[in-house]
């Protein structure tokens, strides 16, 4: 193995430093005792204490967790079905369109997706009188619609690593299809499902744009609250909130990453 | 990344073999996601196009009905390309379009220039280091996007970390106006999307055959020539994928220009947001979405066209 060479080594270390420096700065400043964000006043956890007392943040956090869990569960069911169909059904009629629709949320910009989903709900309301008001339900459906594309990819990739012969063998041994699914396919794709669920939850928990378009009065999520505060400028309390968001989303992400790599 | 490529297995014989109940269950399994995709992906996009072709109105919702009843009772289809003609004529929209393309290009270029040496170093690192380096490169991707952009605000602010450091070092006498400009937006997007550029580059570079570079060296190529004539051409599929993964979402970016840009830093995503949330012109916002989608189809189609050719060249 030839050495990397010092210019490349420098580029790698510099690049990794660049990736982490801004986040490190944010975390450090969240422990700043000073009222003025950019003047260092010693270490303190006063801003975390403030966060604990802020009921608006509590409510938004509760809504974000609910939206994340509900949309991730929906996305896992429908995304897994789509991924299974793509991996195991061969060239069924309409496969191209099916795959294109499944992948569309990955390439359509967020602003366009958010607006399109909102217009869907408004048109539905006009046509069938539901949903009369936009709120958590419409955000959940919107997030689930987008996240199912990611779940489908994860499940499809997981299935591609296993021979379909395993499922065939179960059928040959007289296993009814549903039982075969429960006892063979499901255990095989379980880590993929878990990773997909976590990815979906993370996407939802981190989303600002889609939620802004599709939510209604009184149903703002945590990123929406954070964004409205961030827009006004810097504050030490936001730094503390940002640090918690950073660590929260990060821990879920690491879990999903580990699950996805599991054999 | 490469592992995400679609299934290579032939249609499963057991699933297709005619048997009691199998066909029906398979149909059900296909019907569920199909219904889901039609209702929540296809329908919204169709409705988006429909609203883009309707007229803005004061009311709830603020656009005209597409099918209208004429006074004599007959139904008439009211389509208008009014929003699209305004889109083509108005300076704001053209500035947004041009700004989107320019900023997305510069951000992708910046990300490429940073990511390529990183990916090459990772690919040449000893095998046992690679998983750790890869994890370090992906980790930021798993943290909050909004917060990563906000972090740059802390750094670039007039009295921020960077200005304070530069002042302390005596490199500048006055704080620099780093925030609220196009440069900050390019930096922010390049930073936020760096993992998307890094991953496909690493995937192709890691899979390359070092013997080819060694052969080039044996034949008298300088390191620079070796990179230009051997390594770079071999990594083109990864380069194309990385550019697509950064450029495409960057054109529609809203959060970064809004937080780091100035009031005159226009990008389509931001103009669309303002049209919708401030001007409440839904048909215009829809028309902008459609324009954005058409704009992105071009590079996507190009990539689709390039992919087999690049792969052919790499083999």
């Amino acid at each position: 193995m030839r050495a990397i060479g010092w210019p490349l080594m420098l580029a790698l270390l510099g690049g990794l430093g660049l990736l982490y420096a801004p986040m490190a700065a944010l975390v450090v400043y969240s422990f700043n005792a000073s009222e003025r964000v950019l003047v260092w006043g010693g270490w303190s956890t006063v801003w975390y204490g403030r966060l604990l007392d802020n009921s608006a943040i509590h409510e938004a956090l509760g809504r974000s967790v609910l939206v994340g869990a509900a949309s991730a569960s929906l996305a896992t069911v429908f995304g897994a079905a789509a991924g299974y169909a793509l991996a195991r059904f061969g060239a069924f009629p309409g496969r191209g369109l099916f795959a294109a629709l499944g992948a569309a949320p990955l390439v359509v910009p967020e602003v366009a997706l958010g607006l399109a989903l909102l217009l869907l709900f408004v048109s539905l309301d006009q046509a069938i009188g539901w949903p009369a008001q936009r709120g958590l339900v419409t955000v959940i459906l919107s997030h689930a619609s987008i996240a199912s594309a990611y779940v489908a990819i994860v499940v499809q990739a997981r299935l591609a690593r296993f021979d379909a012969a395993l499922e065939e063998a179960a059928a040959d041994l007289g296993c009814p299809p549903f039982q075969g699914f429960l006892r063979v396919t499901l255990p095989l794709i379980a880590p993929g499902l878990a990773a997909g669920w976590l990815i979906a939850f993370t996407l939802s928990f981190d989303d600002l744009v889609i939620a802004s378009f599709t939510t209604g009065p009184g149903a703002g999520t945590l990123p929406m609250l954070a964004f409205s505060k961030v827009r006004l400028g810097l504050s030490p309390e936001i730094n503390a909130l940002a640090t918690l968001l950073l660590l929260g989303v990060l821990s879920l992400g690491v879990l999903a990453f580990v699950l996805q790599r599991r054999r | 990344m490469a592992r995400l490529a679609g299934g290579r297995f032939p249609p499963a014989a057991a699933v297709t073999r005619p048997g009691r109940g199998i066909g029906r269950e398979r149909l059900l399994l296909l019907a569920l996601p199909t219904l889901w995709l039609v209702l929540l992906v296809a329908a919204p996009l169709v409705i988006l196009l429909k609203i883009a072709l309707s007229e803005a109105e004061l009311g709830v919702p603020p656009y005209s009905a597409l099918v209208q009843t004429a006074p004599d009772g007959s139904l008439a289809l009211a389509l208008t390309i009014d929003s699209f003609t305004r889109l083509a004529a108005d300076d704001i929209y053209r500035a947004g379009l041009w700004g989107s393309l320019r900023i997305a290009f510069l951000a992708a270029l910046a990300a490429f220039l940073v990511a390529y040496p990183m990916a090459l170093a990772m690919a040449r690192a000893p095998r046992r280091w690679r998983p750790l380096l890869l994890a370090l490169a992906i980790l930021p991707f798993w943290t909050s996007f909004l917060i990563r952009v906000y972090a740059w605000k802390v750094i670039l602010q007039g009295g921020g970390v960077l200005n304070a450091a530069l002042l302390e070092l005596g490199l500048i006498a006055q704080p620099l106006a780093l925030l609220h400009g196009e440069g900050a937006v390019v930096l922010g997007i390049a930073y936020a999307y760096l993992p998307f550029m890094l991953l496909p580059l690493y995937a192709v570079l890691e899979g390359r055959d070092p013997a080819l570079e060694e052969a080039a060296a044996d034949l008298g190529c300088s390191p620079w020539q070796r990179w230009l004539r051997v390594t770079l051409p071999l990594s083109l599929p990864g380069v194309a994928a990385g550019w697509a993964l950064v450029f495409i979402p960057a054109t529609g970016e809203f959060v970064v220009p809004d937080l780091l840009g100035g009031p005159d830093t226009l990008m389509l995503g931001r103009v669309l947001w303002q049209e919708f949330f401030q001007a409440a012109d839904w048909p215009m916002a829809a028309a902008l979405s459609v324009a954005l989608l058409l704009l992105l189809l071009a590079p996507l189609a190009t990539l689709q066209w390039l992919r087999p050719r690049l792969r052919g060249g790499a083999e």
Side-chain angles (χ1 to χ4, degrees), chain B residues 236-257:
Chain B
L236 278 184
V239 174
W243 271 81
L245 286 176
V246 176
F247 184 85
I248 289 172
T251 47
E253 188 52 56
F254 159 73
V255 173
V256 185

Side-chain angles (χ1 to χ4, degrees), chain A residues 1-5 9 12, chain B residues 120-134 202 206:
Chain A
M1 174 61 63
R2 199 164 12 128
I4 304 174
M9 194 69 185
L12 179 60
Chain B
L120 197 56
M122 283 164 66
R124 285 187 186 171
R127 202 167 281 278
R128 64 202 154 84
W129 290 9
R130 287 184 206 164
L132 175 71
L133 291 174
L134 187 66
Y202 172 70
E206 210 251 343

Side-chain angles (χ1 to χ4, degrees), chain A residues 103-234:
Chain A
L106 306 175
V107 288
V108 176
E110 280 185 315
V111 279
L113 271 178
L115 181 61
L117 283 160
L118 164 76
L119 294 174
L120 168 78
F121 295 127
V122 170
S123 305
L124 270 180
D125 179 27
Q126 282 182 308
I128 60 169
W130 183 92
Q133 207 186 13
R134 294 185 297 279
L136 291 184
V137 173
T138 46
V139 181
I140 289 169
L141 283 173
S142 305
H143 282 175
S145 145
I146 293 159
S148 54
Y150 291 84
V151 177
I153 288 184
V154 174
V155 169
Q156 195 189 347
R158 180 92 197 163
L159 279 168
R161 284 163 61 187
F162 295 104
D163 202 325
L166 288 171
E167 289 142 282
E168 286 163 30
D172 287 344
L173 292 171
C175 202
F178 185 66
Q179 209 184 341
F181 176 77
L182 274 187
R183 298 176 71 163
V184 180
T185 315
L186 205 56
L188 281 181
I189 61 171
L193 292 181
W197 192 93
L198 283 169
I199 291 173
F201 184 91
T202 314
L203 282 173
S204 165
F205 196 74
D206 195 28
D207 166 71
L208 164 76
V209 173
I210 308 290
S212 298
F213 274 101
T214 54
T215 194
T221 58
L222 192 58
M224 286 174 68
L225 183 73
F227 183 65
S228 66
K229 283 178 179 288
V230 161
R231 244 184 168 175
L232 297 176
L234 307 176

Side-chain angles (χ1 to χ4, degrees), chain B residues 8-60:
Chain B
R8 282 176 289 108
F9 292 99
V15 186
T16 45
R17 193 167 47 214
R20 269 176 323 214
I22 293 179
R24 197 178 302 153
E25 285 185 24
R26 195 183 147 186
L27 209 62
L28 185 70
L29 201 55
L30 197 56
L32 269 179
T34 305
L35 202 68
W36 175 260
L37 289 176
V38 166
L39 185 66
L40 282 170
V41 180
L45 294 175
V46 172
I47 293 171
L48 187 70
L49 184 64
K50 187 193 103 171
I51 305 300
L53 293 172
S54 63
E55 225 170 319
E57 264 184 4
L58 280 179
V60 181

Side-chain angles (χ1 to χ4, degrees), chain A residues 1 18-20 26 38 84 89 98 109 115 118 145 148 160 168 172 177 199 206 212 227 231 239 249-250 253, chain B residues 9 14 17 25-26 29 34 36 40 124 136 139 142-145 147 150 159 191 258 273 276 285 289 296:
Chain A
M1 174 61 63
L18 190 75
L19 271 177
Y20 286 93
L26 196 63
L38 298 161
Y84 187 83
F89 287 180
F98 186 87
L115 181 61
L118 164 76
S145 145
S148 54
E168 286 163 30
D172 287 344
I199 291 173
D206 195 28
S212 298
F227 183 65
R231 244 184 168 175
N239 288 348
V249 180
L250 181 69
Chain B
F9 292 99
R17 193 167 47 214
E25 285 185 24
R26 195 183 147 186
L29 201 55
T34 305
W36 175 260
L40 282 170
R124 285 187 186 171
L136 276 175
L139 218 55
W142 281 110
T143 60
S144 169
F145 182 87
I147 299 312
Y150 168 71
Y191 173 75
D258 198 70
W273 184 282
F276 180 82
S289 301
L296 292 181

